[in-house]
Amino acid sequence: MAESKAPRATTNRSTTPGSDTFKDYISSNWAERPGDLPEPREQSPFAAARRAALSALHPGKRLVIPAGRAKVRSNDCDYPFRAHSAFSHLTGWGSDTVPGSVLVLEPVDDGHEATLYFRASAGRDSDEFYANPEIGEFWIGPRPSLVQVGADLGLTTRDLGELDAVVSTVDGDTLLLREADPELTRRIDDVDSARLADSPARASAEADRASDTASSDDLARDLGELRLVKDAYEIAQMREAVQVTGRGFTDVVADFDEILAHPRGERLVEGTFNRRARADGNTVGYDTIAASGDHACVLHWTRNDGVVRDGDLILIDAGIELDSLYTADITRTLPVSGRFTDVQRLVYEAVLEAADAAFAIVRPGIRFREIHAEAMRVIAERTAEWGFLPVSAAESLEPDHQYHRRYMVHGTSHHLGIDVHDCAAARRDLYLDGVLEPGMVFTIEPGLYFQPDDLTVPEEFRGIGVRIEDDIVVTADGAENLSVGIPRTVADVEAWVARG
């Protein structure tokens, strides 16, 4: 029995007329659209410089960087599309990226020529503009033309159909960002497999293919490392993302009365913040954590289905992603009643001390790992002072002990930018063991988490979780806390909640 592919969910319920009369009528009597070309967007020259930097790393190689495709959520409903971060970094195309787009850098004598392939808007002379729910203007709105996108991004553009010619000629000099578009990766692998099958020296060709895959892994690594130091445009975007994120936190504080009255108040926290993210940005940069009471001891609490009780602390870890796709990542821990209890204040001030101590040492020339070590020094000293450790702080800090890490198992910092955990593919000696340079942006986020059933701490500490997270940029002679304007001291936080 012949196999047939199941239709997309709209196929079986389509009632779109198919007569020639209807097609003639719907394709006629439309007003002319203006064909004005946009000015290049602000990030266009910065993206060109990033492409040049990548080109210098891979001379003579064809580089293929896809944006990725929309992913099906359920039947004919897709998840909101977000382009792969490397694609956006190299093109300057952000939230308005057309799904399925592909950037190709072809080698030339003096570097590479960049071409952007994407599917342009279906014209009114095609039935796709009303009959195709995936790309039709009646369904998803108009798309810019090839020429308009080219002017906008400062790139040569071609129709996506012309990418077939590129795919058909892949060889050992083609490097692909494999993770971005599994379907395109499969197509390219099929062509490569056919090439190897026809090779008279197949064993040697298979070895070359393994080398090609490793080189593609190097491409992914290089794309991550290019983002370790932010340019002026990126730092400005980070500053703006932090500002709008601060407004989202203030919105939440203003809604505390309603939040406390609802049986799933954490969901209201999430909803209030996400409303600001959609109003002032593209969306949230990651799933909002709204963790009240002992939920704050769960590091990635995103269910957000709990009650927010007077007298508890609520840990909110949230960030707004802009249309450029750059995101903030901020955590504040707030006393729901407006006042910290004595124990809550003790824990909070210890975490704040650790954050401030870590920030104080940030400057060009130190190693990234030193930030974490400084924060851990304070965490060890305070937990030892409170009698929670079986050894002294100095002994606990020894690599083969680390008792204090029971109360903070995560790291203190991660790079931040177009991804909330940016530069993740970078080599360890450039990330954790890397030396700080001006333009690097990262978080400082120490915490203390005393699980509700942790018998190593007194009962009054159990169920308290505190994290303070700020976004930091390294400057020429030190560092700037981009989020210092979002209240973070005990006095400022209590006043903030009181005003709300």
Side-chain angles (χ1 to χ4, degrees):
M1 180 177 179
E3 294 185 2
S4 61
K5 187 177 179 180
R8 193 163 167 90
T10 50
T11 303
N12 290 332
R13 53 185 174 84
S14 174
T15 60
T16 303
S19 69
D20 290 340
T21 300
F22 172 79
K23 291 179 179 178
D24 289 343
Y25 186 66
I26 198 170
S27 64
S28 63
N29 294 317
W30 297 102
E32 289 291 325
R33 286 182 174 164
D36 298 341
L37 297 182
E39 292 294 322
R41 62 180 63 188
E42 182 184 359
Q43 56 265 52
S44 174
F46 293 96
R50 299 165 197 157
R51 294 192 297 272
L54 181 66
S55 171
L57 295 173
H58 297 278
K61 299 289 187 179
R62 172 193 282 157
L63 310 178
V64 182
I65 299 94
R69 301 168 188 253
K71 295 179 175 62
V72 176
R73 181 181 185 273
S74 174
N75 288 332
D76 58 334
C77 298
D78 293 332
Y79 286 101
F81 175 72
R82 185 190 189 277
H84 193 282
S85 296
F87 174 90
S88 290
H89 189 245
L90 294 174
T91 62
W93 225 359
S95 64
D96 53 340
T97 300
V98 173
S101 302
V102 181
L103 175 69
V104 177
L105 275 62
E106 290 284 357
V108 294
D109 290 340
D110 58 347
H112 287 80
E113 288 183 348
T115 302
L116 176 62
Y117 295 84
F118 74 96
R119 188 161 188 178
S121 182
R124 293 279 166 70
D125 56 347
S126 164
D127 63 2
E128 285 192 310
F129 90 95
Y130 65 87
N132 188 331
E134 295 182 58
I135 65 168
E137 289 187 7
F138 261 75
W139 297 87
I140 64 171
R143 284 180 175 171
S145 68
L146 291 168
V147 175
Q148 288 171 325
V149 171
D152 184 15
L153 301 179
L155 278 166
T156 299
T157 55
R158 292 181 183 167
D159 186 80
L160 188 62
E162 297 185 49
L163 185 66
D164 291 343
V166 176
V167 173
S168 66
T169 59
V170 297
D171 55 23
D173 288 329
T174 299
L175 303 184
L176 167 68
L177 183 61
R178 299 179 62 84
E179 68 188 55
D181 187 335
E183 174 62 22
L184 180 60
T185 296
R186 183 194 62 76
R187 287 175 58 198
I188 288 177
D189 284 349
D190 287 348
V191 171
D192 204 34
S193 295
R195 174 179 68 87
L196 296 180
D198 294 338
S199 172
R202 185 165 183 176
S204 175
E206 290 287 358
D208 289 343
R209 180 172 185 177
S211 177
D212 296 344
T213 300
S215 295
S216 287
D217 292 341
D218 290 346
L219 173 63
R221 177 203 68 199
D222 293 341
L223 288 167
E225 291 175 358
L226 280 175
R227 306 206 301 266
L228 282 168
V229 176
K230 270 58 178 177
D231 57 40
Y233 172 80
E234 293 178 290
I235 292 174
Q237 288 295 290
M238 296 304 302
R239 196 179 302 278
E240 182 179 345
V242 168
Q243 289 174 349
V244 297
T245 295
R247 292 201 286 270
F249 275 89
T250 296
D251 292 343
V252 170
V253 172
D255 280 357
F256 261 8
D257 286 346
E258 186 177 356
I259 289 165
L260 266 69
H262 198 280
R264 293 204 291 182
E266 291 175 345
R267 289 279 167 93
L268 270 65
V269 171
E270 177 185 348
T272 293
F273 186 85
N274 290 9
R275 178 183 60 188
R276 176 63 67 178
R278 291 293 283 164
D280 288 2
N282 177 43
T283 184
V284 290
Y286 52 95
D287 287 344
T288 297
I289 296 171
S292 184
D294 57 22
H295 289 168
C297 299
V298 180
L299 298 181
H300 285 173
W301 176 261
T302 56
R303 284 168 53 185
N304 300 341
D305 60 357
V307 63
V308 178
R309 294 185 177 90
D310 196 12
D312 280 346
L313 298 177
I314 182 166
L315 186 157
I316 306 170
D317 187 335
I320 292 178
E321 176 186 276
L322 303 180
D323 286 318
S324 62
L325 305 188
Y326 289 86
T327 184
D329 181 6
I330 309 294
T331 305
R332 291 294 184 262
T333 307
L334 312 177
V336 176
S337 67
R339 300 283 294 179
F340 290 95
T341 67
D342 290 343
V343 175
Q344 290 170 350
R345 182 181 295 107
L346 184 70
V347 176
Y348 188 93
E349 289 185 330
V351 174
L352 183 63
E353 180 186 356
D356 289 346
F359 175 75
I361 70 167
V362 176
R363 64 184 184 279
I366 73 163
R367 294 197 177 275
F368 190 70
R369 63 164 58 251
E370 294 179 49
I371 302 168
H372 174 73
E374 183 64 11
M376 288 303 94
R377 176 188 63 79
V378 175
I379 295 298
E381 289 176 355
R382 294 296 155 260
T383 51
E385 176 187 312
W386 300 335
F388 298 170
L389 307 183
V391 297
S392 68
E395 291 175 282
S396 187
L397 286 164
E398 294 174 359
D400 58 346
H401 286 157
Q402 302 288 299
Y403 293 101
H404 58 285
R405 295 300 301 278
R406 178 186 180 107
Y407 313 113
M408 181 185 157
V409 297
H410 63 80
T412 302
S413 298
H414 60 79
H415 281 268
L416 179 67
I418 205 167
D419 281 333
V420 66
H421 293 152
D422 212 20
C423 318
R427 287 166 288 186
R428 182 183 179 92
D429 58 342
L430 294 180
Y431 197 127
L432 185 60
D433 294 326
V435 175
L436 297 193
E437 299 178 44
M440 287 184 169
V441 179
F442 48 80
T443 66
I444 292 179
E445 50 176 310
L448 280 170
Y449 314 90
F450 302 113
Q451 302 294 332
D453 56 353
D454 190 341
L455 301 182
T456 68
V457 301
E459 185 175 359
E460 61 267 25
F461 284 82
R462 297 173 197 165
I464 293 178
V466 173
R467 182 164 64 251
I468 302 170
E469 180 178 19
D470 289 293
D471 298 346
I472 311 301
V473 59
V474 182
T475 61
D477 56 359
E480 177 187 354
N481 184 341
L482 298 175
S483 49
V484 71
I486 303 173
R488 57 193 300 279
T489 67
V490 166
D492 287 348
V493 167
E494 290 183 339
W496 189 27
V497 176
R499 289 195 303 270

